[in-house]
Amino acid sequence: MLCLAVPTFAAEKNQLPYESYTYWENFAGTSSKKAINNRPIYTVDTALDFTAMGVGEQLKQITDVFCDSKGYTYILDGGKSQIIILDNNYLPVNVITGIKKPTEASAEEQTAEITEETTEITNEELISFTDSKGLFVDENGIIYIADTLNARILTADSEGNYVGEYFLPESKLIPSNFEYKPIKVAKDSRDYLYVLSDGSYYGAILYSPDGEFLGFYGANTVKNSVSEAISGFIGGLFLNNEKRAQLESSLPFQFTDLCVDKTDFIYTATGNTAKKQRETQTGQIRKLSPGGSDVFNSDGINFGDSPASLKNQDILGVDVDDGGYVYALDSTYGHIFVYDQFNNTIGVFGCGTREGIQDGSFTNAVAIAVNGEDVLVADGTLNTVSIFKITEYGRKLKIAQELVNEGDYISAKPLWEELFKTDKQNQLIYVGLAKSYYDEGDYDKALEYSKLGYDRDTYALAFGLVRNEFLSKYFTILVLGAVAIIVLIVLLFKWLKKKNIKLLPENVKTAISVLRHPGDTFADIKLKQKGSYLVAVGILFLYYVTSILSVMYGGFCYEGYDPSTFNALLTLLRSVGIVVLFTVCFWAVSTLMHGQGKMGEIFITVCYSFQPMIIANAVYLVLTNVMLPNEIAFLNLFMTVMTIYTGLLLFIGLMRISDYEFGKLIGVGLLSIVGIVIVLFIGIVVVLLLQLLWGFLLTVFQETYKIMTFGG
Amino acid sequence: MKNKIRVIAVLTVLVLMLTFSGCGPQKAEKTWYDFGAEFMCDYPGVVAENENFALQWNLDSASVSIIDKNTGKVYSNIPENAEEFTSHPQVYAPIYVGYIETDTLNTNNANAKTASVNNATFSSEIIENGIKVTYYFTDIAVSVPVNYILREDSLLVTVDPAEIGEDETLIYNISILPFFCSVNNTAEKKDNYLFVPSGSGALVYPKVIGSGITSIISEQVYGYDAQLNNYTDAYKEKISLPVYGAKNGESAVCAIIENSAETAEITTNIGSSSYGYSAVYSSFYIRGSEISNATYLSGWSSKKALFCEGKVEDEIRVGFYPLTEGKTDYSGMAECYRNYLVKNQGMIERQSDTLLNAEIIGGVLKKKFILGIPYNGLTVLTDFEDVNKISSELTEISDKNINLNLIGFGESGASIGKPAGNADYSSKFGSVKKLEDSDNLSLYFNFDLFRFSKSGSGINKMFGIARTAIGGRSSHNYQNVQYSEASGSDVYRYVRRSKLGGLADKVNKKIVKWNIDGVSLDTLTSQSYSDYYESKYYAKANTLTQANEIMDKFTEKNLKIAATEANAYAAVRADIIYDTPTRSSKYQVYDEDVPFYSMVFKGYIPMAVNAVNLSEDKDAAFLNAVETGMGLNYTLIANYDKDLVSAKDNVYFNSLYSDVKDNIKLDVDRYKTLFDRIANVKINKHYILENDVRATEYENGITVYVNYGETAAETPAGSVKAKDFLTVGG
């Protein structure tokens, strides 16, 4: 682990205004993900402003952008009620400044419904859609506008001629207080229309191809934690009706965007899903089947940036390309995330944090659209549309990952090898190579790359095969060897007995006998002074060492440690420190409570009791290195039993040493824990005061030095 | 008795503390003018002239203009026919001042037009070859004397901070002739533009911008004060050259900050409809500042700039050079600045352009464990055996000498550890004898003189750290990968500036002992920072002087100097510039990037591009080199360590020599012939053609057309394939 999260180079090597990075899952043996710089998958090409869009004057507020299947781009300037259409080279084609509707229809059929400002132009009126928020264009070139203020979906052709409107249907399924404010609209290949309404947590409003209301579709759900449920229950018991009514009910988060892929799955984005600040956001992206169930199983999956770093991430936009890659836009930090269908991060790019004025950065990113290989992001304040082009590296990475997701590891291998030569910092490449080598039967290389890529699954598969091969090859030798060792040990013991040589000193034997006869042994320690400080310290040291070894050298397939934060001295404090602290506190309390134990005896008892944990650590260390997680399901049980056994030994030992009854020991034990807390508190206060004192003295010293050197 | 002594000692310390606790930075000497004095403004008309120009004093605007005697063209801070387009006082103001409000300590601005000229509170006085005008800002009780001096080829404007009069209100910056370099927002594109020296340089065409886009961009010359934490999630190229300009049809002006550039920032005011003009101008910090974050119990936080009371001592000098016919474009500005550097900064032709250059990283500090207890140990990525091997193979590929910049071969590797890597070579990279015997190699050994995290080389963490404007010790946290926030508890510091000379002496001794070609000074040549221990280092002041003093130490021993992304003062002294800027900060309001930087130095100082192998677009990086005849550059390591994955420096993903060797050969073979023809040759002109095509015309008649586009492009010399180049002439 490098200790340099350090900009060591004076000159910035990055040629783009923004960071390009990806996330590594299970980084360094932990279960968390870590952001790692890598080669850019997208570079910013340009930011289209009003002149590039062929509009005479500045736009007012871009609210959405959409790219149709022909590669045409539609930019919705909701602030000015206009749609700018660009061709597949992003050159201006047309600007729709209002929907043209014949006046006869307007007069006879729509009078009651249309409430917006209209302008008469000879025999047709121009319908404004000011402040509309969403846009969709279907295969036939029909434009769907989420006309938010006028509570309708307005449809028109690419020339801006009126086609129709969708209003809020009358249905018992729609609550009476429901406010219809369409913000996003999408349509699938079967002509079902999905509309998101601002403030609605019921999901998307679903219209049939005939325009009939079918119901709400795919709402987010609310899942309360146990603590929230308990606090809610307690609150319910003690609050009066008025206060209870004031309690904020837990409502699902509303969708902020949606899109449809070529197989008619619906992808939804949900903005800030944290219930409180700095909470890990999860489930921001969902892939909904036609039945409305989340295929991604997004609950518990953190899309976007890792939780430690971001407070206010807000996924406002989502789109999907023909390859099934999902693009999510975080409006707060201006980041664009690319995921595959298995939620693997392909890459992250873009920046801004609401201050972006450089290419590839945003002040107020409001919408995202995918156009072939290009990614377009609209900025609602700068009123620009930034175009990101895929790099050669990004293109190859996506192709290779697609092959992996299809299970075609062999075809992907040449691509991974090529990519590996240009980027050593992408986990997907390591994982891809590991899978390719595994498929080829090169298990040693599969082990090597899966370990480098923290891919425990592939590692376990390859490890199992390598181990089995080893066992089948050397089975006879291993069995004979084992038998020989057992025979040798038996013979050795017999010989030792015959010669009357004691292998272990008496005090060590005493310590070991604690495991079999704890009551008697601890009684001997108390009454016959059979305990040994040296052995006790030795046991404590062994416990410490085995704890460290089991963490650092446990099997790769098991959760390991984070080298960036790991420090064995902390483990020392947690093991030896706690033993010493407990000994002192227990002795202090038991002295007051008429306990018979001396401090030395208590220390020996505590240390001797830790022997099962040494065994547990040793077993863990050995088994995790030779067996796979699915083969040693009993390991956790074993570790738990050993922990309970340790507790039991400690309990029996302290009872004997202190000559306490069961109940009294419990009481003294609890008081000792209180004592530990008090000692820790005082210790922390003292350390803080010493730090302050040191800082003060340092400042006095430095100021005096400065004054003496340079004058006042 | 002992107790008495102890009590006396404690009391003495307390008295000393109380006595000195009020001592902050040096107090400014306050002067103030006599409000009752008559303002003298009786020098109308021409106040100085020479063969080329006349300096005209304009009483109405309390400003000057220069008239080209040959062409009759007038150059002034008030744009031609400005009254037709705007009456905004900012456009007519000869200077702006930024001041600190006495009651709130907030910053505010005043312009001389509103605060002084309109009230006729200014005075003038004839001086040698010019006029001295003092602007009295009566509302804030501040006076600013400005000297306008006519020279043979330019107008020199100077302000001496010591002469600035202040009462209660303190000023913190001054902007000089803001609209001297300006273009009308409705003027025709291409023939009218502003030149901004952001990174390699950028052009800004006339435009009117709506309310959304930030239309004022300010960038500090020589980069932001490096000892301050400037967290940002967007990379910005720094301004390395203190020069800017404007082209107005057939005329153009090049402005050069001739002194105090390190305290300056260059501001581009683009497309404001109320101004009617876009302008680029320089402002100078008179006082240093530091942003203070105040977090309240409620969780609400606010940021405020806290200023140092003492003033910068250096005189401000800006020269405005009208460009002659045929040179009224950015190529002309580059030539103008190049001539200035030759004449005034001693820039000479090095005649040693090198096709192939490499930065080789020796090692990094890595967290290692002994029985689970962590410590920082040096991990070797490239030892000296590897260096020899890489060197011989690259020499064979290029068939010529190559330059090698050894980075991170000290005791801290490429990580920030002891100052200048403890000013030594680590034996972990091999015997120092091998280094001393490497006469056949052109080696530069890199030392980071500025940053450190552990005491060493005579710099300790108690007294060797630079001070911030409000008296704190400079302290940097590293930044998250994802966005602009500090990451982790590790910090690094900046060396107290008065200690840099001593540190350089230690480095110098070692280099001389090792008998290698030269020293690479990446931070010294590319960064600047302030140190509020001493007033001469306030607001980054004296960066140039100090850097020159340090570089003198090396050149006196006949050592060559390698610079990285070099600031102007270091570039003119360098024997090679690595990581030469090839792009601007890419602000959305900038229209075109131009290779101004390399146009200035080509033919004088050898340059190498940013590492081609680390560029997001290798073709573009290669073509950047071809476009202005720079050498190729690669960042290399011999062995990859898996822990490099999490390194903050994004340089290891494609630096393994065995991975990039073949590509180096391809690039060299493709470029070698052209490079030989344009090596050490100056650039005459540079053109931006349509569709991503650029043309560079060299002094020896060779013209190179470079096509960055995805499709073939037609040029006057014929078709240029996509991502390729074409050479004609010579």
Side-chain angles (χ1 to χ4, degrees):
Chain A
M1 174 61 56
L2 285 180
C3 55
L4 54 126
V6 185
T8 49
F9 291 86
E12 184 49 64
K13 302 285 181 182
N14 201 328
Q15 291 287 292
L16 295 166
Y18 50 83
E19 291 270 16
S20 292
Y21 60 96
T22 185
Y23 274 100
W24 281 51
E25 300 289 339
N26 307 315
F27 187 79
T30 64
S31 56
S32 57
K33 65 180 190 178
K34 184 175 176 67
I36 300 285
N37 277 118
N38 72 334
R39 191 173 270 289
I41 57 168
Y42 278 86
T43 57
V44 59
D45 185 54
T46 186
L48 302 173
D49 63 4
F50 68 98
T51 48
M53 294 175 198
V55 184
E57 55 183 29
Q58 182 63 262
L59 309 184
K60 195 168 178 191
Q61 190 183 16
I62 296 181
T63 48
D64 203 3
V65 59
F66 184 84
C67 299
D68 70 10
S69 55
K70 298 183 191 98
Y72 276 45
T73 301
Y74 299 76
I75 299 158
L76 176 62
D77 177 8
K80 268 193 181 171
S81 178
Q82 62 180 349
I83 295 167
I84 299 134
I85 306 174
L86 310 176
D87 69 11
N88 40 22
N89 291 316
Y90 304 108
L91 297 172
V93 173
N94 191 16
V95 179
I96 299 171
T97 52
I99 304 303
K100 291 171 274 185
K101 184 180 180 185
T103 46
E104 297 78 19
S106 171
E108 289 168 21
E109 293 166 28
Q110 302 293 335
T111 313
E113 284 132 338
I114 296 173
T115 53
E116 77 291 345
E117 184 186 332
T118 57
T119 312
E120 292 238 349
I121 308 171
T122 58
N123 59 347
E124 58 187 16
E125 62 184 349
L126 204 59
I127 304 174
S128 160
F129 44 90
T130 306
D131 285 336
S132 52
K133 299 273 184 354
L135 178 78
F136 179 84
V137 183
D138 71 12
E139 291 291 318
N140 304 316
I142 303 299
I143 302 169
Y144 294 74
I145 304 162
D147 190 358
T148 314
L149 282 187
N150 297 308
R152 66 181 170 189
I153 301 297
L154 197 56
T155 61
D157 65 15
S158 58
E159 295 299 320
N161 297 312
Y162 176 85
V163 174
E165 287 162 277
Y166 292 81
F167 293 95
L168 181 69
E170 286 185 8
S171 167
K172 288 176 183 172
L173 293 172
I174 299 173
S176 56
N177 61 351
F178 188 88
E179 274 193 79
Y180 190 43
K181 292 192 232 167
I183 50 167
K184 296 288 171 190
V185 55
K187 194 176 172 190
D188 67 17
S189 65
R190 302 165 304 155
D191 289 340
Y192 285 83
L193 195 70
Y194 303 82
V195 178
L196 296 184
S197 177
D198 194 19
S200 164
Y201 46 84
Y202 300 102
I205 297 160
L206 182 60
Y207 293 89
S208 74
D210 302 327
E212 283 177 32
F213 172 67
L214 296 178
F216 288 104
Y217 172 83
N220 278 322
T221 53
V222 180
K223 283 186 180 157
N224 280 338
S225 65
V226 176
S227 62
E228 284 169 335
I230 291 170
S231 64
F233 175 72
I234 294 170
L237 286 178
F238 293 103
L239 295 178
N240 60 32
N241 287 342
E242 198 176 325
K243 287 193 174 174
R244 210 175 291 150
Q246 288 171 358
L247 272 180
E248 197 180 319
S249 57
S250 292
L251 298 175
F253 296 102
Q254 75 167 69
F255 292 139
T256 50
D257 195 12
L258 84 171
C259 65
V260 187
D261 74 4
K262 60 183 181 186
T263 54
D264 284 342
F265 279 87
I266 307 295
Y267 296 75
T268 61
T270 305
N272 192 335
T273 62
K275 289 179 187 168
K276 49 196 173 199
Q277 271 215 337
R278 295 199 84 91
E279 186 184 62
T280 305
Q281 294 192 40
T282 56
Q284 303 100 312
I285 303 292
R286 294 183 190 278
K287 178 183 179 182
L288 303 175
S289 68
S293 59
D294 180 16
V295 179
F296 274 171
N297 285 322
S298 305
D299 287 333
I301 297 176
N302 164 235
F303 291 86
D305 280 306
S306 72
S309 54
L310 302 193
K311 292 171 278 190
N312 304 312
Q313 181 182 283
D314 194 6
I315 303 287
L316 272 193
V318 63
D319 205 354
V320 59
D321 67 15
D322 288 345
Y325 288 101
V326 181
Y327 302 77
L329 173 67
D330 170 15
S331 177
T332 305
Y333 299 99
H335 292 165
I336 298 135
F337 300 84
V338 187
Y339 298 100
D340 69 4
Q341 286 289 312
F342 293 87
N343 305 330
N344 293 306
T345 311
I346 304 299
V348 188
F349 55 95
C351 68
T353 318
R354 303 211 182 276
E355 294 172 351
I357 48 174
Q358 294 166 265
D359 288 351
S361 70
F362 313 103
T363 300
N364 177 26
V366 291
I368 186 168
V370 179
N371 193 13
E373 286 189 321
D374 298 350
V375 176
L376 281 65
V377 177
D379 191 312
T381 298
L382 301 178
N383 288 311
T384 54
V385 173
S386 295
I387 300 170
F388 292 88
K389 296 270 183 192
I390 194 164
T391 61
E392 196 55 32
Y393 167 81
R395 184 177 292 125
K396 285 176 181 165
L397 183 71
K398 282 167 76 177
I399 294 168
Q401 187 61 19
E402 231 169 300
L403 289 168
V404 165
N405 290 341
E406 289 163 7
D408 189 356
Y409 305 132
I410 303 294
S411 303
K413 194 183 164 205
L415 278 170
W416 289 129
E417 284 173 334
E418 195 182 337
L419 289 166
F420 190 63
K421 275 195 161 189
T422 59
D423 189 2
K424 299 261 183 295
Q425 300 192 175
N426 194 322
Q427 186 180 29
L428 295 179
I429 299 174
Y430 288 96
V431 174
L433 280 171
K435 288 183 191 299
S436 302
Y437 284 122
Y438 177 80
D439 232 30
E440 273 185 355
D442 190 344
Y443 303 122
D444 288 335
K445 282 207 161 179
L447 284 175
E448 181 191 341
Y449 282 95
S450 56
K451 197 167 185 179
L452 288 169
Y454 301 109
D455 177 9
R456 289 181 182 140
D457 294 340
T458 308
Y459 186 90
L461 290 171
F463 180 81
L465 291 170
V466 169
R467 186 196 56 188
N468 292 346
E469 194 181 325
F470 178 84
L471 285 176
S472 61
K473 200 170 174 183
Y474 300 104
F475 183 75
T476 317
I477 298 170
L478 286 171
V479 170
L480 289 175
V483 170
I485 288 167
I486 291 166
V487 169
L488 278 174
I489 289 170
V490 170
L491 290 174
L492 179 69
F493 273 100
K494 281 191 173 179
W495 181 78
L496 288 171
K497 202 173 178 183
K498 191 176 172 186
K499 294 283 180 186
N500 201 21
I501 299 171
K502 290 182 177 174
L503 191 63
L504 296 171
E506 198 57 39
N507 50 12
V508 176
K509 277 186 178 174
T510 306
I512 293 170
S513 69
V514 163
L515 294 170
R516 288 181 294 150
H517 310 292
D520 295 343
T521 313
F522 283 123
D524 285 350
I525 289 169
K526 174 71 189 170
L527 300 172
K528 299 177 184 173
Q529 282 78 46
K530 279 195 165 182
S532 161
Y533 289 118
L534 193 64
V535 174
V537 170
I539 289 171
L540 198 56
F541 179 71
L542 266 179
Y543 169 61
Y544 165 67
V545 170
T546 54
S547 299
I548 299 294
L549 292 178
S550 64
V551 171
M552 290 187 73
Y553 299 105
F556 174 74
C557 295
Y558 302 79
E559 190 158 313
Y561 69 108
D562 182 359
S564 66
T565 54
F566 182 74
N567 190 336
L569 289 173
L570 295 174
T571 312
L572 186 72
L573 274 178
R574 283 197 295 263
S575 54
V576 178
I578 290 294
V579 166
V580 172
L581 199 57
F582 179 79
T583 304
V584 172
C585 289
F586 186 85
W587 170 78
V589 175
S590 70
T591 304
L592 296 173
M593 304 290 283
H594 310 292
Q596 300 299 309
K598 294 174 186 168
M599 191 189 282
E601 292 165 353
I602 295 168
F603 176 71
I604 289 168
T605 304
V606 174
C607 292
Y608 280 21
S609 304
F610 269 87
Q611 291 178 89
M613 291 310 297
I614 297 171
I615 296 167
N617 285 338
V619 169
Y620 180 88
L621 185 62
V622 173
L623 288 189
T624 55
N625 275 289
V626 295
M627 299 183 86
L628 298 173
N630 57 356
E631 295 167 341
I632 45 174
F634 68 90
L635 190 62
N636 285 339
L637 179 66
F638 175 75
M639 298 296 287
T640 309
V641 168
M642 286 291 116
T643 309
I644 293 169
Y645 190 22
T646 300
L648 199 63
L649 291 182
L650 187 63
F651 195 84
I652 295 168
L654 291 174
M655 267 178 78
R656 286 297 169 113
I657 294 293
S658 307
D659 199 15
Y660 280 145
E661 290 172 357
F662 180 81
K664 196 166 184 180
L665 181 63
I666 297 285
V668 172
L670 289 174
L671 283 174
S672 303
I673 290 167
V674 171
I676 289 172
V677 172
I678 291 168
V679 170
L680 285 176
F681 175 75
I682 292 169
I684 290 167
V685 169
V686 168
V687 168
L688 286 176
L689 284 174
L690 285 174
Q691 276 183 343
L692 284 173
L693 183 66
W694 170 247
F696 172 73
L697 291 174
L698 196 68
T699 308
V700 169
F701 193 50
Q702 285 173 336
E703 286 299 324
T704 311
Y705 173 81
K706 189 198 166 193
I707 289 158
M708 286 169 70
T709 314
F710 301 106
Chain B
M1 186 62 189
K2 276 186 179 174
N3 283 341
K4 275 186 183 173
I5 292 171
R6 283 176 189 151
V7 170
I8 290 167
V10 169
L11 285 174
T12 310
V13 169
L14 285 171
V15 169
L16 277 172
M17 280 163 43
L18 290 170
T19 309
F20 296 129
S21 60
C23 301
Q26 193 180 355
K27 285 205 166 191
E29 190 186 329
K30 290 186 177 176
T31 58
W32 183 233
Y33 63 91
D34 178 4
F35 278 107
E38 288 292 316
F39 296 116
M40 303 296 290
C41 307
D42 54 350
Y43 305 107
V46 172
V47 291
E49 62 183 318
N50 55 37
E51 273 188 25
N52 302 319
F53 299 104
L55 180 66
Q56 171 107 20
W57 162 245
N58 308 311
L59 184 61
D60 292 343
S61 60
S63 185
V64 298
S65 48
I66 51 173
I67 301 153
D68 187 327
K69 284 182 168 178
N70 299 319
T71 61
K73 283 177 186 164
V74 179
Y75 302 88
S76 168
N77 70 296
I78 300 169
E80 198 177 353
N81 304 323
E83 61 281 359
E84 289 177 24
F85 297 93
T86 182
S87 59
H88 201 292
Q90 299 267 43
V91 178
Y92 296 86
I95 61 167
Y96 306 155
V97 296
Y99 61 91
I100 307 153
E101 290 178 349
T102 48
D103 47 353
T104 62
L105 295 185
N106 288 334
T107 55
N108 209 334
N109 296 296
N111 70 73
K113 171 70 177 169
T114 307
S116 175
V117 179
N118 287 353
N119 303 330
T121 53
F122 57 91
S123 69
S124 57
E125 174 191 346
I126 295 291
I127 56 173
E128 189 180 352
N129 288 327
I131 186 167
K132 178 176 190 170
V133 184
T134 304
Y135 301 97
Y136 298 95
F137 294 74
T138 48
D139 289 349
I140 53 173
V142 163
S143 64
V144 182
V146 181
N147 297 323
Y148 300 98
I149 298 162
L150 185 67
R151 298 190 296 198
E152 284 303 311
D153 54 355
S154 59
L155 167 69
L156 175 67
V157 182
T158 71
V159 176
D160 184 353
E163 290 184 0
I164 293 171
E166 294 169 315
D167 193 11
E168 288 292 318
T169 304
L170 302 180
I171 66 169
Y172 68 93
N173 85 349
I174 297 175
S175 306
I176 305 290
L177 300 187
F179 278 76
F180 205 97
C181 295
S182 62
V183 292
N184 191 301
N185 288 341
T186 56
E188 198 182 332
K189 195 176 158 183
K190 301 283 184 191
D191 278 339
N192 299 272
Y193 53 75
L194 302 175
F195 163 70
V196 190
S198 171
S200 65
L203 303 183
V204 183
Y205 294 126
K207 55 172 80 78
V208 179
I209 295 177
S211 55
I213 299 175
T214 299
S215 56
I216 297 178
I217 292 165
S218 294
E219 295 184 88
Q220 286 193 23
V221 177
Y222 306 148
Y224 283 89
D225 191 341
Q227 66 120 318
L228 301 176
N229 278 312
N230 289 303
Y231 296 130
T232 170
D233 67 343
Y235 291 123
K236 293 180 177 73
E237 289 285 316
K238 69 184 166 72
I239 288 180
S240 302
L241 309 179
V243 56
Y244 54 92
K247 174 179 168 61
N248 275 292
E250 294 302 309
S251 67
V253 176
C254 175
I256 299 171
I257 301 171
E258 298 182 5
N259 198 37
S260 218
E262 54 269 57
T263 67
E265 69 180 15
I266 292 176
T267 300
T268 323
N269 191 330
I270 306 157
S272 162
S273 51
S274 54
Y275 292 173
Y277 289 84
S278 299
V280 55
Y281 58 90
S282 52
S283 306
F284 296 82
Y285 280 91
I286 304 299
R287 289 185 163 83
S289 68
E290 184 181 348
I291 301 296
S292 170
N293 278 310
T295 305
Y296 301 89
L297 284 175
S298 60
W300 181 75
S301 64
S302 71
K303 288 181 178 179
K304 185 168 253 185
L306 298 176
F307 287 87
C308 163
E309 195 177 347
K311 274 191 292 195
V312 166
E313 295 166 355
D314 272 10
E315 187 186 48
I316 296 164
R317 295 164 68 91
V318 185
F320 293 89
Y321 295 76
L323 301 180
T324 52
E325 209 169 315
K327 295 183 177 179
T328 56
D329 56 11
Y330 63 89
S331 297
M333 291 177 204
E335 187 183 331
C336 172
Y337 185 56
R338 184 166 62 211
N339 292 338
Y340 167 80
L341 291 176
V342 170
K343 191 174 160 190
N344 299 289
Q345 305 281 323
M347 184 166 77
I348 55 166
E349 295 174 27
R350 304 274 180 202
Q351 295 292 318
S352 53
D353 279 359
T354 309
L355 171 60
L356 188 51
N357 309 274
E359 293 164 299
I360 299 181
I361 302 169
V364 286
L365 286 179
K366 181 178 161 179
K367 199 171 184 178
K368 297 176 178 176
F369 295 93
I370 297 176
L371 256 183
I373 300 166
Y375 70 99
N376 285 334
L378 186 61
T379 293
V380 174
L381 305 173
T382 316
D383 63 20
F384 210 76
E385 289 275 325
D386 298 322
V387 172
N388 274 318
K389 182 174 168 265
I390 291 171
S391 172
S392 63
E393 288 185 9
L394 291 184
T395 306
E396 197 179 320
I397 287 172
S398 77
D399 201 21
K400 285 204 168 56
N401 280 344
I402 59 165
N403 289 317
L404 296 181
N405 189 357
L406 303 184
I407 297 171
F409 281 77
E411 290 186 5
S412 307
S415 309
I416 300 174
K418 291 179 179 174
N422 211 23
D424 209 347
Y425 169 82
S426 171
S427 56
K428 289 196 171 181
F429 299 106
S431 152
V432 73
K433 188 83 174 56
K434 284 182 183 167
L435 180 68
E436 290 167 1
D437 292 344
S438 58
D439 297 345
N440 55 331
L441 302 181
S442 179
L443 294 183
Y444 294 90
F445 200 103
N446 184 63
F447 291 96
D448 180 352
L449 296 180
F450 284 1
R451 302 174 298 181
F452 74 111
S453 63
K454 279 183 181 173
S455 299
S457 304
I459 312 287
N460 66 55
K461 284 170 77 175
M462 193 171 285
F463 301 113
I465 299 172
R467 283 204 167 214
T468 64
I470 54 174
R473 299 189 303 160
S474 80
S475 170
H476 279 256
N477 286 95
Y478 308 122
Q479 206 171 331
N480 275 347
V481 171
Q482 301 97 322
Y483 73 120
S484 54
E485 204 171 71
S487 162
S489 56
D490 291 344
V491 292
Y492 63 94
R493 318 278 190 170
Y494 272 77
V495 172
R496 221 172 82 196
R497 281 183 58 181
S498 60
K499 302 253 179 193
L500 288 173
L503 185 58
D505 286 336
K506 289 199 168 86
V507 166
N508 205 359
K509 273 184 194 165
K510 287 287 177 185
I511 295 276
V512 171
K513 189 179 161 211
W514 296 336
N515 193 30
I516 58 176
D517 269 16
V519 60
S520 160
L521 302 164
D522 56 353
T523 44
L524 181 87
T525 54
S526 66
Q527 295 188 1
S528 60
Y529 66 97
S530 47
D531 180 0
Y532 292 87
Y533 243 113
E534 294 169 71
S535 57
K536 63 179 177 180
Y537 301 132
Y538 285 2
K540 305 194 296 176
N542 274 308
T543 297
L544 187 150
T545 312
Q546 194 177 26
N548 275 326
E549 283 169 5
I550 291 172
M551 286 188 281
D552 283 343
K553 289 174 191 284
F554 296 104
T555 51
E556 280 165 10
K557 303 280 184 187
N558 293 320
L559 290 170
K560 288 183 182 174
I561 291 172
T564 300
E565 210 182 336
N567 291 329
Y569 53 85
V572 295
R573 306 281 306 271
D575 292 278
I576 179 168
I577 302 169
Y578 279 91
D579 299 325
T580 307
T582 52
R583 69 169 184 106
S584 72
S585 286
K586 297 276 182 194
Y587 286 103
Q588 289 181 16
V589 286
Y590 291 176
D591 294 285
E592 301 274 5
D593 284 0
V594 289
F596 185 89
Y597 187 102
S598 30
M599 288 162 68
V600 169
F601 295 110
K602 174 68 178 152
Y604 284 84
I605 312 294
M607 292 172 285
V609 280
N610 250 305
V612 175
N613 53 323
L614 302 183
S615 172
E616 82 280 357
D617 184 346
K618 291 178 192 174
D619 289 329
F622 173 80
L623 291 175
N624 281 152
V626 172
E627 185 180 351
T628 50
M630 288 188 278
L632 300 171
N633 179 31
Y634 300 85
T635 298
L636 303 171
I637 56 174
N639 302 291
Y640 187 83
D641 184 288
K642 67 181 176 62
D643 289 333
L644 291 173
V645 160
S646 57
K648 167 65 181 165
D649 283 310
N650 197 15
V651 297
Y652 301 107
F653 61 91
N654 188 27
S655 52
L656 188 62
Y657 175 65
S658 56
D659 284 345
V660 295
K661 188 183 156 188
D662 293 343
N663 284 335
I664 294 175
K665 186 169 179 355
L666 287 174
D667 291 343
V668 167
D669 289 346
R670 196 175 163 202
Y671 186 27
K672 199 190 283 183
T673 311
L674 170 62
F675 186 84
D676 288 344
R677 295 175 68 199
I678 57 175
N680 306 312
V681 181
K682 296 180 198 68
I683 293 172
N684 263 355
K685 280 270 184 193
H686 182 270
Y687 305 93
I688 299 168
L689 306 177
E690 294 301 317
N691 302 327
D692 295 323
V693 183
R694 309 293 184 96
T696 310
E697 190 182 290
Y698 287 88
E699 209 177 44
N700 61 1
I702 291 174
T703 301
V704 180
Y705 293 88
V706 176
N707 179 10
Y708 287 92
E710 301 285 344
T711 54
E714 289 304 319
T715 69
S719 178
V720 187
K721 285 188 278 187
K723 304 265 183 192
D724 206 353
F725 60 93
L726 178 70
T727 310
V728 291

